[in-house]
Amino acid sequence: WLLDLDADSEEDLADCMSRLRKWQQEKNGASRVFVDALKALDAFVAALAGLNGSARKLRAAVGSSSALAASLPIAAEAARADTGAFAQPQQLARIASLACALRHAAELAAPASFLVTMADAPLERWGMEAIKRRLDERLPQVAVELCPDPTTSSDVGGKDVLASCDTAEKLEELVTDTLRAIDERRGDFERRAGALLQRLWTAVHSDVPPAVLQDVGEAVLTCLGVQVAGRDVAAVVLEALEMAADHRVLHQLGRADASLVSALGDPSVVGLVGALFVTELRARLDLDGLPPEHAQRAEECFGFLRLRYGPLRAREVLDLFAGTQQPPVQLCLRLLESWYDLRLVLDADLLPKLRAVDPQEWYRVAQTHSDAARSQPRSLERLVALIQEELAGVNASIANVLAEVGGNACSLLQDVSQILACLAKKSQFVELGDRPIVEWEREEIRKWSERVESFGGAAVLADPNVLKEAVAVCSQGMKLVKGWHFRETQLLALWVFLGTGADRGRLGQVATGEGKTLIIAGLATILSLGGKFVDVVTSSEILAERDAEENREYFNLFGRTVSNNCDRATEEGGRDSIGVHQTPEQVRKGRYFRDGRAVHIVYGVVGGFQRDLLQTEFGISDIVHYSRKLSREEAAVVDRLHYAIVDEVDSMLLDKADMVLYLSHPVAGLQRLERVFVEIWKIVRSQELEPARPGDELAVEYVSELIRGQIEAGALLVPENKGCQESAPFMNLKSFVYRKLPEYVRSAIAAKAMKLKDSYIIRNGEVVVMDKQTGVEQTSMHWANGLHQFLQLRHGRRLTPEGLKAVYISNVSYFRRYGHQMLGVTGTLGSAAEQAALQRAFGVDFFKLPRFKPERLHIQSCRRTAVCATRELWLGGIRSRVRDMVVHPPEDRGRRAVLVICDCVADVDLVHSELREIVPGAFKYVTSFEPLPLETMAPGDVIVATNLAGRGTDVGTSPELEENGGLHVILAYVPSSVRIDEQAFGRTARKGNNGTGEHIVMDPAGHSLCELLYERDALEAERLKEALEQQLRRIDTEEALLRGFEDCEGFEQLRARVVALQRRRHVQGAELEARSLLNRWAFWVDHVSSLVEDAAASGDRRLLVAEFARFRDGVDADLSRGSMVVEAAEHLAFGSYMAERSMWSDAQQHYEAAAADPAHATAALYSAICGLNLDYRQGREAKQVFKRKLVQARAAVEE
């Protein structure tokens, strides 16, 4: 109720008010009733704080505010009559401040529903949050000043409360004056936000400048064209926001967006402008006079138009609608909906045509224009012109190549034109005869590549003319292998990446279906010819394996070697070229270095690259050859040897920005925890704990206490590792279990509630994690804190030991190793806020390319089935749409093909079963271990899939299907980000083809699709903000401990020192000693996890440094006595190592040390065997001693 204000809670609130009034009449029950009123009012404050951008909740809150504000006199009377009702003086202050705040809320919501509009869209929340924050901070102070402690005041508080009423009235008058001033300037809608914010800010904040705006640097204000000149920072920034609302300076705002977002911590400015646009739309089309659903649809369509085409284009549309010809409202709505659905093209050429004709002709002209624009590819000149339209926004970083040169075409157009001209000429740098490059065959390309490589390759990237010829030769190679040259958009991408003198990493938005795979192949080839090693990082194993194999012939044409590091052989092992079996480590080693030289181009997933790098750096396995290893030191080198090309860069750097690869370190002692997991699972599954659900901390505490009791009573045996108490007390397993018990119990409860075929599946008898964003099985990934083990117990599978994290690397720090030599492509680069986050984290810039043909995708919207309240309606909506498309299509159109993309495997099974009744031949696609069921879809085909078919999958369509309208995509859930949304719809209308798409989703709460998408975007913005601010601080702190920092040696250096010392001493079992050090480190990292969190939050690492010093001192102390082995399971491993080498005395010492722990009593048997081997020459006497030790061992085991 506190966070979901609805009709029921309003009734409760009204009931509370009536009770207060009744008490006022009866003059009794003061304390109880008044406390109830306080609770209701505080709950209302909490409801305001929990609005979370919901227009419905905001409307309800504002609607109730008058009743709450009217309760102030009643509260005053209560204070006068019964001072004992107040437990704390602050309660009275809360009433006063609440009344003031609610009066403001009521007034602010009145004109043009300004705050409601802001709350409707996540990006528009900043203004409301800023005002609320100032109210929360300032008004309680005012109320405290006006309302002394009622227990000491002679007037018992009534007069003071009324004084606060006077203050509220004064503030109300000020707001009214502000609104009147705005109404007088009704024609100047652009400045409403700035004026309103500035007046309110001054009213509630007095003369104190807000701290958050003090951090905004002069550079930001300079970008907005505002001079500070010693003025109040708050006033200056508010003036800048007011200026931003003027469409004449909107183009100045593009480059300032990222800086403002960074400074203010929220995407504010864009949202304020959007709110103003919608306000103006309502006025110009008189939406208040239309049915609510029509007005809402108009706002939804216009909001999409503004986000897709930018504020300048949105302003031009508003100006068109406000023209002197006064177009009919219904015509404007029809155009908005057609632009929203992408039935019509909205480009710079269309609007002048519309202005030149009568409004009654607008739709016909727009239709004719769209048909003509979509019928032929765009010319190179047109593509460059479209890139220039984004000069003030995403393409600002390539402004140097977009400006006209001496009155001639921009350098980008000239350079790409010269590349095309190179095809018609002979080579200017390699003597291969007079044939033009466009006539070359494979042999000539091989010779050209060999000659270029013999020169050292540096000129390919250093000399612009050589680079242009290299791009032309690569284009001819593509023609020989694939059958076509690079298109103009692909040539533009190659040149912007390589030929524009970028001194930082660069990410490009290339629309789905525009040939990102070919662009990556061309980039990798040219960079490799230039002497660089290229790592191509993709979003899934299936894409990496596919792209490496499909482009192998192309790479081989230029003498480039290619491999991948993530196919099944790298996980399970395989056979080499002569049939010899290889381990997974040997397979992966051959993917980086084979036939005596490093592999030029390696495709893979980021986890594969990170795994192999960590295993090599920490001596776990020698995977990456030293000649190809990406070192941390390389990040400081200007001309690095390594380039990263990141495919689907949004998935790597945004969706998985906070991902860390922890190499699970198997610790032998943790195998003894299987009994603990089994006992926890038995209790959690008991009838008594059946109601327990995730978040039930009482159940967590109850189960934890039961397990502790079993351990203390000896019923559940856990090794204590008393031998480590002095130098490594954190390795005591009993203490470890006690510390981890709450996490283990939470994991058990979560495992009981998790759904099979949602976030995990069972494959070949194993629990396999599913990446729902890509639909790919993560076979090498395990959940931590016992969750994986409890899922294994739930499904009766083999229980694998829990692992601890010992070595790790984050996505951020891994990609930072490439420095400015990181390139990336994606079909969905993200919003200005997301680009700003990427820029801060990786130091990259951006560009965006248009399609080679205008998009032909038509997003359909059936409001009847877009959002369904129940699963039955959802299934029925999908079934109905498929029937209309495939089984019984309209007479004027033939049958279509449909791709249904679901959230999880369970939903795929459900939908597939439903559709099989009407389409018996419907296919299902849920596993990356199998290919897409159909390479080319024809009329009548239906595929139901997870998001495995939503990213990177090229779904072909037959000519007959194109004639009928192309592939139809149904997205049957709301993805976690707009990028996944766009990737899914990018499966259709590719390469200039036809296609349609729509959402059919389920929401029991009954929200509209627009509200669901807005809420999704808000949650994603919060996730990204947390990932790049809070999570990265924790990750950086963890990696600092691993790598070292000022005043802290770090584990990497400590390990190197220990290994070097052991090597000099020629220590027996040095490899086991190194593993023992890793075990110790893994326990310690887990032990200080809470300190890591604290240090990340506060920035103070002194406690961590002190803890690491104690860890290091313990290692040094054990080294001084000759061995770091202190844990019972490690003694067992060393005993086995020594026994295999017939070093019986040393083996016996280790076995006896292990047997000292009751949980490892069986080691006494091994010790006895070692003694028999030591004393075998003594014959019968030795056997008698052996028998006595066997009796002791048996007694120890039985005990």
PDB file of all heavy atoms in Angstrom, residues 284-295:
ATOM      1  N   ARG A 284      -1.541  22.491 -29.576  1.00  0.00           N
ATOM      2  CA  ARG A 284      -1.687  22.785 -31.006  1.00  0.00           C
ATOM      3  C   ARG A 284      -2.725  21.884 -31.671  1.00  0.00           C
ATOM      4  O   ARG A 284      -3.365  22.290 -32.637  1.00  0.00           O
ATOM      5  CB  ARG A 284      -0.335  22.641 -31.703  1.00  0.00           C
ATOM      6  CG  ARG A 284       0.665  23.704 -31.222  1.00  0.00           C
ATOM      7  CD  ARG A 284       1.835  23.846 -32.147  1.00  0.00           C
ATOM      8  NE  ARG A 284       2.710  24.933 -31.701  1.00  0.00           N
ATOM      9  CZ  ARG A 284       3.761  25.366 -32.384  1.00  0.00           C
ATOM     10  NH1 ARG A 284       4.066  24.807 -33.538  1.00  0.00           N
ATOM     11  NH2 ARG A 284       4.503  26.341 -31.920  1.00  0.00           N
ATOM     12  N   LEU A 285      -2.872  20.663 -31.165  1.00  0.00           N
ATOM     13  CA  LEU A 285      -3.877  19.772 -31.742  1.00  0.00           C
ATOM     14  C   LEU A 285      -5.131  19.694 -30.881  1.00  0.00           C
ATOM     15  O   LEU A 285      -6.031  18.902 -31.177  1.00  0.00           O
ATOM     16  CB  LEU A 285      -3.287  18.365 -31.918  1.00  0.00           C
ATOM     17  CG  LEU A 285      -2.127  18.226 -32.904  1.00  0.00           C
ATOM     18  CD1 LEU A 285      -1.747  16.767 -33.063  1.00  0.00           C
ATOM     19  CD2 LEU A 285      -2.476  18.837 -34.251  1.00  0.00           C
ATOM     20  N   ASP A 286      -5.165  20.477 -29.806  1.00  0.00           N
ATOM     21  CA  ASP A 286      -6.315  20.483 -28.904  1.00  0.00           C
ATOM     22  C   ASP A 286      -6.677  19.061 -28.479  1.00  0.00           C
ATOM     23  O   ASP A 286      -7.820  18.614 -28.603  1.00  0.00           O
ATOM     24  CB  ASP A 286      -7.518  21.155 -29.589  1.00  0.00           C
ATOM     25  CG  ASP A 286      -8.652  21.420 -28.583  1.00  0.00           C
ATOM     26  OD1 ASP A 286      -8.344  21.463 -27.371  1.00  0.00           O
ATOM     27  OD2 ASP A 286      -9.803  21.559 -29.008  1.00  0.00           O
ATOM     28  N   LEU A 287      -5.659  18.339 -27.965  1.00  0.00           N
ATOM     29  CA  LEU A 287      -5.885  16.946 -27.589  1.00  0.00           C
ATOM     30  C   LEU A 287      -6.843  16.814 -26.418  1.00  0.00           C
ATOM     31  O   LEU A 287      -7.456  15.750 -26.227  1.00  0.00           O
ATOM     32  CB  LEU A 287      -4.541  16.276 -27.239  1.00  0.00           C
ATOM     33  CG  LEU A 287      -3.524  16.176 -28.385  1.00  0.00           C
ATOM     34  CD1 LEU A 287      -2.298  15.409 -27.921  1.00  0.00           C
ATOM     35  CD2 LEU A 287      -4.141  15.502 -29.600  1.00  0.00           C
ATOM     36  N   ASP A 288      -6.955  17.874 -25.595  1.00  0.00           N
ATOM     37  CA  ASP A 288      -7.866  17.787 -24.454  1.00  0.00           C
ATOM     38  C   ASP A 288      -9.313  17.622 -24.906  1.00  0.00           C
ATOM     39  O   ASP A 288     -10.161  17.159 -24.144  1.00  0.00           O
ATOM     40  CB  ASP A 288      -7.733  19.040 -23.588  1.00  0.00           C
ATOM     41  CG  ASP A 288      -6.377  19.106 -22.904  1.00  0.00           C
ATOM     42  OD1 ASP A 288      -5.805  18.025 -22.646  1.00  0.00           O
ATOM     43  OD2 ASP A 288      -5.890  20.213 -22.653  1.00  0.00           O
ATOM     44  N   GLY A 289      -9.582  17.995 -26.167  1.00  0.00           N
ATOM     45  CA  GLY A 289     -10.938  17.845 -26.684  1.00  0.00           C
ATOM     46  C   GLY A 289     -11.210  16.505 -27.322  1.00  0.00           C
ATOM     47  O   GLY A 289     -12.321  16.255 -27.809  1.00  0.00           O
ATOM     48  N   LEU A 290     -10.208  15.630 -27.362  1.00  0.00           N
ATOM     49  CA  LEU A 290     -10.374  14.312 -27.971  1.00  0.00           C
ATOM     50  C   LEU A 290     -10.639  13.258 -26.904  1.00  0.00           C
ATOM     51  O   LEU A 290     -10.356  13.471 -25.721  1.00  0.00           O
ATOM     52  CB  LEU A 290      -9.106  13.937 -28.742  1.00  0.00           C
ATOM     53  CG  LEU A 290      -8.728  14.803 -29.948  1.00  0.00           C
ATOM     54  CD1 LEU A 290      -7.408  14.324 -30.522  1.00  0.00           C
ATOM     55  CD2 LEU A 290      -9.813  14.756 -31.012  1.00  0.00           C
ATOM     56  N   PRO A 291     -11.161  12.113 -27.299  1.00  0.00           N
ATOM     57  CA  PRO A 291     -11.276  11.009 -26.338  1.00  0.00           C
ATOM     58  C   PRO A 291      -9.907  10.688 -25.732  1.00  0.00           C
ATOM     59  O   PRO A 291      -8.879  10.776 -26.425  1.00  0.00           O
ATOM     60  CB  PRO A 291     -11.805   9.846 -27.194  1.00  0.00           C
ATOM     61  CG  PRO A 291     -12.497  10.511 -28.343  1.00  0.00           C
ATOM     62  CD  PRO A 291     -11.733  11.767 -28.618  1.00  0.00           C
ATOM     63  N   PRO A 292      -9.837  10.312 -24.463  1.00  0.00           N
ATOM     64  CA  PRO A 292      -8.540  10.083 -23.792  1.00  0.00           C
ATOM     65  C   PRO A 292      -7.647   9.085 -24.520  1.00  0.00           C
ATOM     66  O   PRO A 292      -6.438   9.291 -24.600  1.00  0.00           O
ATOM     67  CB  PRO A 292      -8.950   9.564 -22.409  1.00  0.00           C
ATOM     68  CG  PRO A 292     -10.340  10.090 -22.198  1.00  0.00           C
ATOM     69  CD  PRO A 292     -10.980  10.139 -23.545  1.00  0.00           C
ATOM     70  N   GLU A 293      -8.245   8.011 -25.061  1.00  0.00           N
ATOM     71  CA  GLU A 293      -7.384   7.017 -25.715  1.00  0.00           C
ATOM     72  C   GLU A 293      -6.751   7.576 -26.981  1.00  0.00           C
ATOM     73  O   GLU A 293      -5.598   7.237 -27.318  1.00  0.00           O
ATOM     74  CB  GLU A 293      -8.183   5.747 -26.035  1.00  0.00           C
ATOM     75  CG  GLU A 293      -9.366   5.928 -26.983  1.00  0.00           C
ATOM     76  CD  GLU A 293     -10.652   6.285 -26.261  1.00  0.00           C
ATOM     77  OE1 GLU A 293     -10.561   6.690 -25.076  1.00  0.00           O
ATOM     78  OE2 GLU A 293     -11.724   6.154 -26.866  1.00  0.00           O
ATOM     79  N   HIS A 294      -7.457   8.481 -27.691  1.00  0.00           N
ATOM     80  CA  HIS A 294      -6.874   9.097 -28.886  1.00  0.00           C
ATOM     81  C   HIS A 294      -5.764  10.067 -28.508  1.00  0.00           C
ATOM     82  O   HIS A 294      -4.725  10.119 -29.170  1.00  0.00           O
ATOM     83  CB  HIS A 294      -7.963   9.818 -29.684  1.00  0.00           C
ATOM     84  CG  HIS A 294      -8.943   8.895 -30.312  1.00  0.00           C
ATOM     85  ND1 HIS A 294     -10.043   9.327 -31.035  1.00  0.00           N
ATOM     86  CD2 HIS A 294      -9.020   7.532 -30.325  1.00  0.00           C
ATOM     87  CE1 HIS A 294     -10.733   8.289 -31.465  1.00  0.00           C
ATOM     88  NE2 HIS A 294     -10.132   7.188 -31.043  1.00  0.00           N
ATOM     89  N   ALA A 295      -5.978  10.831 -27.460  1.00  0.00           N
ATOM     90  CA  ALA A 295      -4.948  11.765 -27.006  1.00  0.00           C
ATOM     91  C   ALA A 295      -3.706  11.021 -26.542  1.00  0.00           C
ATOM     92  O   ALA A 295      -2.569  11.408 -26.855  1.00  0.00           O
ATOM     93  CB  ALA A 295      -5.502  12.635 -25.885  1.00  0.00           C
TER      94      ALA A 295
END
